[in-house]
Amino acid sequence: MKCIHCNGTLKKKTAPYHVDRNGYHLILDTLPAWVCSQCGEHFFEEKEVDSIQEAVRTLDSRLSKFAKSA
Protein backbone atom coordinates (compact mmCIF):
# COMPACT_ATOMS: atom_id res chain seq x y z
CA MET A 1 0.00 0.00 0.00
CA LYS A 2 1.11 3.57 -0.65
CA CYS A 3 0.71 6.72 1.44
CA ILE A 4 -1.85 9.15 0.05
CA HIS A 5 0.30 12.11 1.17
CA CYS A 6 3.79 11.25 -0.11
CA ASN A 7 3.41 7.95 -1.96
CA GLY A 8 5.74 6.24 0.56
CA THR A 9 5.33 2.62 1.57
CA LEU A 10 2.89 1.80 4.38
CA LYS A 11 3.88 -0.80 6.95
CA LYS A 12 1.73 -2.42 9.62
CA LYS A 13 2.79 -1.00 13.00
CA THR A 14 1.14 0.84 15.87
CA ALA A 15 0.28 4.50 16.25
CA PRO A 16 -1.23 6.72 18.92
CA TYR A 17 -4.62 8.38 18.76
CA HIS A 18 -5.71 11.34 20.86
CA VAL A 19 -8.70 13.63 20.99
CA ASP A 20 -9.65 16.62 23.15
CA ARG A 21 -13.41 16.68 23.42
CA ASN A 22 -16.20 17.93 25.68
CA GLY A 23 -13.91 18.53 28.65
CA TYR A 24 -11.86 15.34 28.46
CA HIS A 25 -8.71 14.06 26.77
CA LEU A 26 -8.65 10.56 25.32
CA ILE A 27 -5.23 9.09 24.60
CA LEU A 28 -4.77 5.63 23.10
CA ASP A 29 -1.05 4.91 22.85
CA THR A 30 -0.68 1.87 20.60
CA LEU A 31 -3.41 1.13 18.10
CA PRO A 32 -2.75 -1.09 15.09
CA ALA A 33 -2.23 1.16 12.06
CA TRP A 34 -0.61 1.49 8.69
CA VAL A 35 2.36 3.84 9.10
CA CYS A 36 4.21 5.51 6.22
CA SER A 37 7.92 4.68 6.28
CA GLN A 38 8.66 7.99 4.55
CA CYS A 39 6.54 10.72 6.19
CA GLY A 40 5.25 8.92 9.30
CA GLU A 41 1.57 9.56 8.57
CA HIS A 42 -0.64 6.82 9.96
CA PHE A 43 -3.92 5.34 8.84
CA PHE A 44 -6.34 3.21 10.85
CA GLU A 45 -8.36 0.37 9.38
CA GLU A 46 -12.14 0.34 9.68
CA LYS A 47 -12.24 -1.91 12.75
CA GLU A 48 -9.92 0.42 14.67
CA VAL A 49 -11.96 3.46 13.61
CA ASP A 50 -15.13 1.71 14.77
CA SER A 51 -13.51 0.95 18.15
CA ILE A 52 -12.33 4.54 18.55
CA GLN A 53 -15.79 5.87 17.72
CA GLU A 54 -17.41 3.46 20.17
CA ALA A 55 -15.02 4.54 22.95
CA VAL A 56 -15.74 8.22 22.27
CA ARG A 57 -19.52 7.64 22.22
CA THR A 58 -19.31 5.73 25.50
CA LEU A 59 -17.24 8.46 27.15
CA ASP A 60 -19.57 11.17 25.85
CA SER A 61 -22.58 9.32 27.23
CA ARG A 62 -21.09 8.59 30.63
CA LEU A 63 -19.46 11.96 31.10
CA SER A 64 -22.63 13.84 30.13
CA LYS A 65 -23.97 12.72 33.53
CA PHE A 66 -21.32 14.90 35.20
CA ALA A 67 -22.43 17.95 33.22
CA LYS A 68 -26.07 17.41 34.23
CA SER A 69 -25.20 17.20 37.93
CA ALA A 70 -22.97 20.29 37.90
Side-chain angles (χ1 to χ4, degrees), residues 18-64:
H18 71 278
V19 64
D20 299 326
R21 179 181 170 103
N22 298 331
Y24 67 85
H25 309 284
L26 174 63
I27 301 169
L28 304 170
D29 289 327
T30 54
L31 293 174
W34 290 97
V35 181
C36 179
S37 59
Q38 185 169 310
C39 72
E41 189 68 36
H42 57 272
F43 304 91
F44 298 114
E45 290 187 4
E46 184 176 358
K47 63 184 177 181
E48 281 75 36
V49 172
D50 290 344
S51 294
I52 291 167
Q53 290 175 334
E54 181 180 344
V56 169
R57 279 192 300 271
T58 299
L59 283 170
D60 283 346
S61 173
R62 291 185 180 212
L63 293 176
S64 70

